[in-house]
Amino acid sequence: MSSQPTPPADDVAAERAFLATYDAAAFPHPSVTVDVATMTTFDGALHALLVRRSDHPAKGRWALPGGFVGIEESLDGAAERVLRTKAGLGGIFLEQLYTFGAVERDPRTRVISVGYYALVEASRLTAAKPDVGETVLARIDVPWTGESGGPVRALDEAGRELPLAFDHAEILGLVVQRMRGKIDYAPLGFQLLPERFTLRQLQQAHEAILDRSLNKDSFRRSIITRGLVAATGETEKDVPYRPAELYRYAQAENG
Amino acid sequence: MSSQPTPPADDVAAERAFLATYDAAAFPHPSVTVDVATMTTFDGALHALLVRRSDHPAKGRWALPGGFVGIEESLDGAAERVLRTKAGLGGIFLEQLYTFGAVERDPRTRVISVGYYALVEASRLTAAKPDVGETVLARIDVPWTGESGGPVRALDEAGRELPLAFDHAEILGLVVQRMRGKIDYAPLGFQLLPERFTLRQLQQAHEAILDRSLNKDSFRRSIITRGLVAATGETEKDVPYRPAELYRYAQAENG
DNA sequence: TCTGCATATATGCTTCAAGCATCGAAGCGT
DNA sequence: ACGCTTCGATGCTTGAAGCATATATGCAGA
């Protein structure tokens, strides 16, 4: 805030003197990690990237990619680093979710975890090659119950439930809840689609997030009248029915 | 999550052995604090409790009450403790807001701050006696601009702008933004009023949060038809006009 | 080539909530 | 008794969403 008045010069000197003697390591601190839920949609459902833990604690269980926050690294920077190094992804939507601070959430020691979630189109996520052992794109099943979704389950392609490490089921539940609360007014759906998409694809992304079907005409009208999309004039190709027009995201030009 | 399968017995033994040798203090950690914005409404505006910093850094500036998170204390517990010890308040609405993790946000050392906000009725806040030096109930001015509010200013009763420490202006801006986004569907307004209140008082609380006037009839209809309030049969007293009926909050009974 | 099919896209009707104006009701003060 | 202020109800209008219907378009198969 550059509009704030500058303190008197002698206060500045006193502050400098204080800082020179401050001992940051004088008392025990909780550790801080970031955990990143990378979400995408396909087959009409939300999916998240999970990695199988190769070490204790929770060895063998499935977890969100995460890492400790460096001493000279911002939280956002740490989340970007985890996303880049553990999921092989960069330049995508990434937003802080919530911070989880229960004392016993990690059995090793006191760990506070700042949860993030990222959104990416499915083709980029399946093409990305994470360099961290065994991974899976798990279907995240959180039944629609109006407000705060139902129980959280992570399923593999065969429908088997994957056991999650730590409190990561809780984190994923909050990710889904946040996405459901936000998609009505924030352009989350576009982050899950390629640059050009049909309105049907956009609706399917919304339906996957919400876990409920939407009225087709109302959806189209709402998206178009709000000026969220612009027609490209092109149509989809190689479909066995009438091709739909391709649209692109048009960042709200209101006036 | 008790529904998860139990790992095999030998894995449990291996995990115990691992934990016995884990050294939590082996690498440098950022410190973690909580900062609590205690909000109330009166005179048609939002107000926040601020304390004047008596020590460096930022000596003399106004700050949100805060404190370091203990090694065996949850984040929510730390926020409750700060609220109790530094504002003299307990048993009120308290919710996590966002976590601020820029590297240079505190000049002492690396400090990550988990922001919380609390809501309380004005009479309880003015009656509470914080035991931490000089305090002020600052009017928080964030102009309504539709989406993400305007510039954040903290003003004393005379309208003078109070200089804020660290990134606390940013935190307060996010508090207001969160409250504005949430009040349409969450019962925030009731937290700012006594148990029994008139619909006019509730509307004034909403208007103070939003910094804009609301249509009286639409507001009444919306609140009543959503079943958010129940009439008590009593009316307000000692008013120089027709007394309005007193209502109380009725936690959404939908069926 | 013609026909059927699946989907896209446009149009109209109904329902419901919000904005807005009007009007009577209920207390208090002069 | 009268006027003032606010409460609280009623009705009208507008706009968005749900729903149904009708037409358009491209492909596949007879």
Side-chain angles (χ1 to χ4, degrees):
Chain A
M1 300 296 141
S2 59
S3 65
Q4 290 181 355
T6 305
D10 47 356
D11 268 12
V12 172
E15 184 154 329
R16 287 216 183 101
F18 170 84
L19 291 177
T21 63
Y22 184 85
D23 181 9
F27 55 94
H29 304 133
S31 305
V32 181
T33 65
V34 292
D35 288 317
V36 182
T38 306
M39 312 297 293
T40 193
T41 51
F42 57 85
D43 291 351
L46 267 172
H47 292 72
L49 176 69
L50 301 177
V51 299
R52 187 192 278 272
R53 287 189 61 82
S54 57
D55 297 316
H56 292 102
K59 182 175 180 178
R61 294 202 172 191
W62 296 91
L64 299 171
F68 286 94
V69 176
I71 194 74
E72 290 194 338
E73 181 184 46
S74 72
L75 284 174
D76 290 355
E80 286 170 17
R81 172 176 56 79
V82 166
L83 189 61
R84 187 176 61 249
T85 60
K86 298 208 172 179
L89 289 170
I92 63 173
F93 178 94
L94 177 64
E95 186 177 271
Q96 189 187 305
L97 173 71
Y98 192 81
T99 299
F100 299 83
V103 174
E104 299 294 341
R105 59 176 297 282
D106 187 317
R108 287 174 291 187
T109 176
R110 181 67 201 286
V111 176
I112 291 169
S113 174
V114 184
Y116 278 77
Y117 70 108
L119 304 181
V120 67
E121 62 173 296
S123 64
R124 283 194 62 186
L125 189 47
T126 52
K129 276 292 156 233
D131 55 354
V132 285
E134 194 179 353
T135 65
V136 67
L137 261 182
R139 171 176 169 170
I140 304 302
D141 186 42
V142 182
W144 168 265
T145 60
E147 279 294 305
S148 56
V152 178
R153 297 191 310 161
L155 307 170
D156 66 10
E157 299 98 14
R160 286 183 295 259
E161 182 162 357
L162 304 171
L164 294 171
F166 308 119
D167 53 2
H168 289 190
E170 184 187 353
I171 297 178
L172 281 167
L174 204 56
V175 169
V176 175
Q177 196 175 322
R178 174 75 61 90
M179 291 176 71
R180 285 178 182 168
K182 226 176 154 172
I183 193 161
D184 281 339
Y185 64 91
L188 296 189
F190 308 107
Q191 308 291 343
L192 300 166
L193 297 173
E195 194 194 352
R196 281 191 272 253
F197 52 86
T198 67
L199 292 180
R200 156 167 287 263
Q201 286 176 301
L202 183 60
Q203 179 170 354
Q204 285 173 338
H206 280 238
E207 291 176 338
I209 292 172
L210 294 172
D211 191 42
R212 70 189 184 93
S213 58
L214 300 173
N215 182 278
K216 177 180 163 182
D217 303 282
S218 299
F219 182 80
R220 293 171 58 87
R221 256 186 317 203
S222 170
I223 296 293
I224 292 174
T225 61
R226 281 192 287 168
L228 292 180
V229 295
T232 64
E234 302 172 68
T235 58
E236 56 181 344
K237 301 194 188 310
D238 297 327
V239 290
Y241 46 81
R242 171 179 172 180
E245 183 155 19
L246 291 171
Y247 290 79
R248 60 177 175 78
Y249 172 50
Q251 42 272 44
E253 76 293 335
N254 44 7
Chain B
M1 301 293 139
S2 59
S3 66
Q4 290 181 351
T6 306
D10 48 354
D11 268 13
V12 172
E15 183 153 332
R16 288 216 181 101
F18 170 85
L19 290 176
T21 62
Y22 184 83
D23 180 9
F27 56 95
H29 305 134
S31 303
V32 181
T33 65
V34 292
D35 289 318
V36 182
T38 306
M39 312 297 294
T40 193
T41 52
F42 57 86
D43 290 349
L46 267 173
H47 292 72
L49 176 69
L50 300 178
V51 299
R52 187 192 277 273
R53 286 188 62 83
S54 58
D55 297 317
H56 291 103
K59 181 174 179 178
R61 294 204 170 190
W62 296 91
L64 299 171
F68 285 92
V69 177
I71 193 73
E72 290 195 338
E73 181 184 45
S74 72
L75 284 175
D76 291 355
E80 286 170 18
R81 172 176 57 80
V82 166
L83 189 61
R84 186 176 61 249
T85 60
K86 298 206 172 179
L89 289 169
I92 63 174
F93 177 95
L94 178 64
E95 187 177 270
Q96 190 186 305
L97 172 72
Y98 192 81
T99 299
F100 299 83
V103 173
E104 300 294 340
R105 58 176 299 282
D106 187 318
R108 285 175 292 188
T109 176
R110 181 68 200 287
V111 176
I112 290 168
S113 174
V114 184
Y116 278 77
Y117 70 107
L119 304 181
V120 68
E121 62 173 296
S123 64
R124 283 194 62 186
L125 188 48
T126 53
K129 275 293 155 232
D131 55 354
V132 284
E134 195 179 354
T135 64
V136 67
L137 261 182
R139 171 176 169 172
I140 304 302
D141 185 42
V142 183
W144 167 265
T145 60
E147 278 295 306
S148 56
V152 178
R153 297 192 309 162
L155 308 170
D156 65 11
E157 300 99 13
R160 285 183 296 259
E161 182 163 355
L162 303 171
L164 294 171
F166 308 119
D167 53 1
H168 289 190
E170 184 187 353
I171 297 178
L172 281 167
L174 204 57
V175 169
V176 175
Q177 196 175 323
R178 173 77 59 92
M179 290 177 71
R180 285 178 182 167
K182 223 176 157 173
I183 193 161
D184 281 338
Y185 63 91
L188 296 189
F190 308 108
Q191 308 291 342
L192 300 166
L193 297 173
E195 194 194 352
R196 281 191 270 254
F197 52 87
T198 67
L199 293 181
R200 157 168 285 264
Q201 286 176 301
L202 183 61
Q203 178 172 353
Q204 285 173 339
H206 281 239
E207 291 177 337
I209 292 172
L210 294 172
D211 191 40
R212 69 190 184 94
S213 59
L214 300 173
N215 181 276
K216 175 182 162 183
D217 305 281
S218 299
F219 182 80
R220 294 172 57 87
R221 257 185 317 201
S222 171
I223 296 293
I224 292 173
T225 60
R226 281 192 287 168
L228 292 180
V229 296
T232 64
E234 301 172 69
T235 58
E236 56 181 343
K237 300 195 188 310
D238 296 326
V239 289
Y241 45 81
R242 171 180 173 182
E245 181 155 19
L246 291 171
Y247 290 79
R248 59 177 175 76
Y249 173 50
Q251 41 272 45
E253 76 294 332
N254 44 8

